[in-house]
Amino acid sequence: MKSDSSLPSKDTTAWGRRRFLNTAALAGLTMGAAACTEKESGAANAPAAAPAAAPDAAHSGANATHLKPGELDTYYGLWSGGHTGDMRVLGLPSGRELMRIPCFVPDALVGWGITNESKKIMGTKPDGSLRYTVGDSHHTHASYKDGNYDGRYAWINDKINARIARIRLDYFICDKITQLPNVQGFHGIFPDKADPVDPAINYTTRVFCGAEFSIPLPNAGLDDGSKYRSMFTCVDAESMEVRWQVLIDGNCDLTATSYDGKLAATNQYNIEMGVTYEDMMSSERDACLFFNIARIEAAVKAGKFKTVGTSKVPVVDGTHEANQDPTTALTAYVSVPKNPHGVNASPDGKYFICAGKLSPTATVIDLSKVLEWFDGKLEKLDASIVAEVEIGLGPLHTAFDGRGNAYTTLFLDSQVVKWNVDAAIKFHAGDKAAKYVVDRIDVQYQPGHLNASQSETKAADGKYLAVGCKFSKDRFLPVGPLHAENEQLIDISGDKMVLLADHPVRGEPHDFIIFKRELLQPKQVYSLDDFPLAIKDPKESGVFRDGKKVTVKMTSQAPAFSLREFKLKKGDEVTLILTNLDKIEDLTHGFAIPNYNVNFIVNPQETASVTFIADQPGVFWCYCTHFCHALHLEMRTRMIVEA
């Protein structure tokens, strides 16, 4: 297999670490636990890249997913974690899981929800305990520049508790979480790709969020469903503060944004605003709801908004009744078949496509015509529908290959259908000779979300398609009643789709994105200066008492902690601060305190802290939980709590 890079005969960083592991044991113990200052020349530099999968790997069939030892994947994939409340990082085409980024739910590996830093991000109650310990992450998308991913951020939702988390893609960590006001069932999420007014801002500055459940506003426990409403929310991409909200009719499913920044949209079900199943299904059609971003922000700037309850977020009126005049309307409701599931933007920037779910159709909406309606130049808004064609049973979500083809999951048919958008438009216009369905492939089983490599960018490359199947049934070894879900990889580089691989996954992931690895430049060693509490020299270690409040400062440098022991008194409120002074890539340390529910890690040059009450007298061996050295088992310190 051809590679685009190769390993050097000697990788200096790798050799540096091996030399370190072989020599530092004696040095670490000789110098003393408080003075491990071995310096590694050039250790923080990134290693030379291992070979990548060949660009045409898909054509070799299933072998494309089996990389040679040391060979790197061509693409990153960011997957929602589902009930685990995290984001999964995959390499593709191999499908190997590389990382789980904890967001909404505590994580025992890294100490997410244990350290003070992570608890501050997650949010706490007045007593310092976590406000939430469950999550349900569905949708993840990343920031844009010039119509492609720019490697800055990704965002993910928590449907249960209406939270949005931001991921820094330089360190693959969650750095901010915001809870949306006036919202339940926060589901669809999508960043904007440009500013609607200033063409110089050709990158993401907003993230749009759709609410799936209607609630009383303010939520005072009212049981009269006719008073319930939904919200569409705009979050600032940098500050993560809520900019504004739009009061709407109907519930939101997914979200999409136009490449020029002028429009956002959500496909809607339950435009009836029903509370019961029967009421939700009474209408013949639902809607794809469009938002005119420039007008909404002008209305907010002009003070034409209200607030709800104790929230200070501006709320504008986007209901049907308040937006009858196209020339002043903030919103536009394009009708689509009942109960649509998914709205996706084509890479050429021309269309949004809604899948019918209960209808065997896909609806293609021309964005230029929606803008014409807002300008008063299109008499009927539904004239923006340029195609509504049958593609199969239970269409849900759509991806693109950059060659004019769309790929839609068919839940009831257990298939993916490949269809040509231009041919569908011709067929809808009356050319019955236009053959818009290009190919079909069976998947196993009942597919939901799908996405293709670079699909939701202008750089869609049509190499791979991943499909999340809700049921695996007989595809894997049985492990009891709860089955893994099945995520499948398909080669879409040719005329016919080819199934390459099955991957069992823990339920229940949903949406994901796939992008070329060169779009990211991850950092593998932190900077001490990023952490205000950093202990930059082992000599700064010690126990510092202020009455019953005690601060323990400590460093780690394999194979020792800077304090051999530290003494506390029963009842002390202890804040322990730990800095990893190692500068070598992949040299992570852990810190666990038996019987105190404390375990967390510090990566190279990272600082973290925990706070606890020393309520149990005794001797407690704190030890490194992350293998770091030949003398890893000896890397420990005594915590002595005096009665």
Side-chain angles (χ1 to χ4, degrees):
M1 183 180 294
K2 184 180 179 181
S3 300
D4 61 6
S5 59
S6 59
L7 285 168
S9 58
K10 279 193 177 182
D11 180 78
T12 55
T13 304
W15 277 104
R17 178 174 179 178
R18 177 169 295 181
R19 193 175 298 116
F20 171 80
L21 289 172
N22 289 340
T23 61
L26 179 61
L29 296 177
T30 302
M31 295 172 67
C36 275
T37 55
E38 191 269 338
K39 295 181 180 179
E40 186 64 33
S41 176
N45 294 331
D56 61 350
H59 292 295
S60 62
N63 290 333
T65 67
H66 298 286
L67 304 184
K68 296 177 182 177
E71 189 176 16
L72 300 184
D73 282 291
T74 313
Y75 298 89
Y76 282 101
L78 301 182
W79 254 253
S80 63
H83 307 320
T84 55
D86 55 18
M87 179 184 289
R88 296 188 295 141
V89 183
L90 272 61
L92 291 169
S94 74
R96 298 177 294 196
E97 183 176 302
L98 308 175
M99 174 69 69
R100 290 198 175 204
I101 306 171
C103 300
F104 303 115
V105 174
D107 183 273
L109 170 66
V110 303
W112 190 255
I114 299 294
T115 65
N116 295 326
E117 292 77 13
S118 62
K119 290 172 73 173
K120 183 178 179 181
I121 294 171
M122 295 179 75
T124 57
K125 299 176 182 178
D127 65 359
S129 63
L130 292 176
R131 187 173 183 185
Y132 305 109
T133 57
V134 298
D136 184 19
S137 58
H138 282 228
H139 296 280
T140 178
H141 292 285
S143 55
Y144 287 81
K145 185 175 182 180
D146 292 326
N148 199 0
Y149 299 123
D150 63 6
R152 287 184 297 146
Y153 301 125
W155 292 269
I156 193 166
N157 76 310
D158 169 23
K159 182 174 178 177
I160 296 178
N161 298 307
R163 294 178 290 174
I164 178 173
R166 186 177 73 184
I167 309 299
R168 282 181 55 173
L169 292 178
D170 54 353
Y171 288 118
F172 284 85
I173 57 169
C174 172
D175 74 331
K176 287 182 181 292
I177 293 177
T178 299
Q179 183 163 13
L180 307 183
N182 311 317
V183 163
Q184 282 185 19
F186 160 39
H187 190 211
I189 177 175
F190 217 101
D192 70 356
K193 304 180 182 81
D195 188 84
V197 177
D198 187 351
I201 302 176
N202 60 343
Y203 51 87
T204 294
T205 58
R206 307 166 181 81
V207 184
F208 300 111
C209 312
E212 194 171 351
F213 305 146
S214 300
I215 58 175
L217 295 173
N219 194 355
L222 188 67
D223 65 358
D224 181 0
S226 66
K227 305 294 185 183
Y228 295 4
R229 280 292 182 272
S230 300
M231 290 280 198
F232 186 81
T233 303
C234 176
V235 174
D236 187 276
E238 289 295 335
S239 70
M240 288 290 286
E241 295 180 355
V242 179
R243 285 193 182 187
W244 44 259
Q245 293 182 304
V246 183
L247 185 73
I248 60 174
D249 297 318
N251 298 339
C252 302
D253 181 31
L254 267 66
T255 305
T257 60
S258 62
Y259 282 89
D260 60 9
K262 295 180 179 180
L263 297 171
T266 177
N267 60 298
Q268 291 190 290
Y269 68 98
N270 190 27
I271 62 168
E272 305 90 341
M273 300 300 290
V275 175
T276 66
Y277 172 83
E278 292 81 5
D279 291 338
M280 293 181 187
M281 301 301 297
S282 61
S283 177
E284 286 295 320
R285 290 173 73 87
D286 276 310
C288 182
L289 172 55
F290 284 83
F291 300 87
N292 189 312
I293 306 305
R295 287 187 188 175
I296 290 170
E297 298 195 341
V300 171
K301 186 176 181 180
K304 298 178 180 179
F305 63 83
K306 297 179 180 179
T307 58
V308 175
T310 59
S311 170
K312 296 182 180 179
V313 173
V315 178
V316 298
D317 192 341
T319 61
H320 273 290
E321 184 178 356
N323 292 273
Q324 298 296 312
D325 182 356
T327 61
T328 60
L330 307 180
T331 58
Y333 293 77
V334 178
S335 79
V336 296
K338 189 63 185 168
N339 210 250
H341 201 77
V343 56
N344 300 94
S346 61
D348 58 11
K350 294 180 180 180
Y351 309 112
F352 282 1
I353 294 176
C354 289
K357 193 166 82 170
L358 298 186
S359 169
T361 56
T363 302
V364 182
I365 302 171
D366 187 327
L367 302 187
S368 66
K369 292 184 179 294
V370 174
L371 291 172
E372 286 180 15
W373 182 86
F374 276 118
D375 291 338
K377 298 177 182 178
L378 187 69
E379 182 179 356
K380 293 183 178 181
L381 180 56
D382 279 4
S384 62
I385 299 173
V386 293
E388 194 164 278
V389 293
E390 292 189 7
I391 56 175
L393 298 180
L396 296 184
H397 300 282
T398 300
F400 305 92
D401 62 11
R403 300 187 294 270
N405 299 309
Y407 300 76
T408 301
T409 49
L410 303 176
F411 183 80
L412 297 180
D413 281 336
S414 280
Q415 288 185 330
V416 172
V417 58
K418 174 182 178 180
W419 55 284
N420 185 270
V421 177
D422 286 342
I425 293 172
K426 293 177 181 177
F427 183 89
H428 183 80
D431 182 1
K432 301 310 177 185
K435 304 296 184 183
Y436 58 87
V437 172
V438 180
D439 190 25
R440 298 179 186 273
I441 189 171
D442 292 336
V443 294
Q444 291 76 33
Y445 302 92
Q446 275 67 56
H449 284 279
L450 84 170
N451 218 325
S453 48
Q454 296 280 153
S455 171
E456 295 182 288
T457 73
K458 290 182 177 180
D461 64 11
K463 295 290 180 64
Y464 296 108
L465 179 77
V467 183
C469 296
K470 295 302 181 184
F471 301 94
S472 62
K473 299 182 182 179
D474 55 2
R475 301 295 282 191
F476 309 113
L477 286 173
V479 289
L482 180 62
H483 286 48
E485 294 190 6
N486 187 15
E487 292 186 351
Q488 298 184 300
L489 187 70
I490 297 173
D491 171 8
I492 59 170
S493 60
D495 292 336
K496 304 289 289 184
M497 293 180 280
V498 178
L499 180 63
L500 298 178
D502 286 10
H503 294 284
V505 293
R506 188 180 184 185
E508 180 182 290
H510 291 263
D511 206 2
F512 49 89
I513 59 174
I514 303 168
F515 52 90
K516 293 183 177 179
R517 73 177 196 181
E518 55 263 30
L519 294 176
L520 292 190
Q521 299 295 326
K523 300 175 182 178
Q524 296 173 297
V525 176
Y526 282 102
S527 169
L528 280 179
D529 294 334
D530 290 341
F531 303 95
L533 298 179
I535 303 159
K536 298 184 178 182
D537 191 312
K539 296 178 181 178
E540 300 173 14
S541 303
V543 179
F544 305 87
R545 179 174 292 277
D546 182 9
K548 296 293 288 183
K549 293 189 175 182
V550 178
T551 301
V552 179
K553 295 184 178 181
M554 192 183 312
T555 63
S556 63
Q557 197 163 16
F561 294 111
S562 59
L563 296 178
R564 293 183 182 270
E565 64 182 40
F566 57 98
K567 293 182 178 181
L568 307 170
K569 296 178 181 179
K570 183 180 178 181
D572 284 346
E573 180 185 306
V574 183
T575 296
L576 187 148
I577 305 169
L578 179 64
T579 297
N580 181 350
L581 290 181
D582 283 311
K583 299 179 180 180
I584 298 170
E585 174 190 337
D586 199 17
L587 200 54
T588 296
H589 297 301
F591 193 87
I593 307 177
N595 303 341
Y596 273 87
N597 200 37
V598 170
N599 182 33
F600 63 97
I601 65 169
V602 279
N603 290 295
Q605 301 285 285
E606 183 181 16
T607 298
S609 66
V610 293
T611 298
F612 59 94
I613 302 297
D615 56 0
Q616 303 176 64
V619 174
F620 302 90
W621 283 102
C622 309
Y623 64 97
C624 179
T625 55
H626 210 89
F627 188 88
C628 60
H629 194 275
L631 291 178
H632 167 71
L633 295 180
E634 288 77 12
M635 188 169 176
R636 61 177 78 169
T637 180
R638 284 189 301 166
M639 182 177 81
I640 302 173
V641 181
E642 299 173 344

